[in-house]
Amino acid sequence: MAVAIVEDGAVVWCRGFGDKHPSEGGAVLPSTLFRMGSVNKMMTAVGVLQQVDSGAVALTDPATTPLPDFSLQYSPDYTDITVEHLLTHQGGFYDYLLIDDDDDDDALAEAVEGWFSTNEVLISPPGAFWNYSNPNWYVAGRIVEKLDGRYYTQYMADEVLEPLWMNRTTFDGEAVLADGDYASGKTSDWTGSSSD
């Protein structure tokens, strides 16, 4: 891990701990890039709440208000999903990681207004209970795109990451590889085997 302490807008201490790669080693530096993973959800929430703050959408609005082309053929309750449901994991979506490695600018639109329409289903009525589900955040990210006009990754870079001085944060996997200073995780699957 890499840790930084910021006081009054200035980094006063930073240090890396551990190895960048499970099998190849290499010390983690304060500058080492790590995969964002689901921290992205918090960043997406900031983007959506910026749209709420600007008056472009309300938390109580149905997701179909900013996204009239969004539909779920097999779950007619989709029209009850509100923006707030998306941000609180209460959309009722079956969890599916559809576009984890797709960095095409049109990926969100194609998933939310394409693939979802005939494949994604709700496992409960919207707002019935909390269940961790990535599709909430695909729809939330698409709302940001639709309301702002920029692609999600551009909006996030300009309006969320840059103002927070997160200049070593990117959605561009090729840029990370070209940078070279990145960490690779190690995971274990349910069979007990592990892979890098």
Side-chain angles (χ1 to χ4, degrees):
M1 73 175 155
V3 179
I5 298 174
V6 179
E7 290 182 1
D8 299 322
V11 176
V12 296
W13 181 87
C14 58
R15 184 170 170 201
F17 298 88
D19 294 329
K20 292 181 191 181
H21 305 283
S23 57
E24 299 163 21
V28 171
L29 305 172
S31 59
T32 299
L33 296 167
F34 290 83
R35 187 175 176 118
M36 187 182 301
S38 285
V39 172
N40 178 41
K41 291 175 176 60
M42 292 177 267
M43 301 298 176
T44 302
V46 169
V48 171
L49 292 173
Q50 287 172 337
Q51 297 302 313
V52 170
D53 192 47
S54 75
V57 70
L59 288 172
T60 55
D61 284 348
T64 53
T65 298
L67 300 177
D69 295 329
F70 166 63
S71 66
L72 301 176
Q73 177 178 337
Y74 300 111
S75 297
D77 287 351
Y78 78 90
T79 58
D80 297 332
I81 301 169
T82 66
V83 174
E84 184 175 5
H85 288 144
L86 299 172
L87 301 184
T88 58
H89 283 288
Q90 295 183 68
F93 292 102
Y94 172 77
D95 186 27
Y96 191 80
L97 198 57
L98 178 65
I99 55 175
D100 191 39
D101 293 324
D102 189 346
D103 59 3
D104 178 38
D105 284 335
D106 293 317
L108 269 179
E110 290 169 1
V112 171
E113 293 157 7
W115 189 91
F116 275 28
S117 64
T118 56
N119 295 281
E120 183 62 55
V121 295
L122 299 181
I123 60 171
S124 71
F129 63 87
W130 182 94
N131 70 294
Y132 187 92
S133 182
N134 288 287
N136 287 295
W137 301 94
Y138 298 153
V139 178
R142 181 63 180 138
I143 286 173
V144 170
E145 282 188 338
K146 195 76 168 181
L147 293 176
D148 179 76
R150 284 176 278 181
Y151 286 117
Y152 170 83
T153 55
Q154 190 63 56
Y155 180 90
M156 297 302 287
D158 294 345
E159 306 300 333
V160 178
L161 303 177
E162 185 177 323
L164 292 172
W165 304 340
M166 297 177 70
N167 58 2
R168 296 240 342 126
T169 304
T170 181
F171 293 94
D172 185 350
E174 290 181 17
V176 171
L177 294 175
D179 181 273
D181 182 15
Y182 62 89
S184 294
K186 182 171 184 152
T187 60
S188 296
D189 67 22
W190 63 271
T191 64
S193 63
S194 62
S195 61
D196 292 349

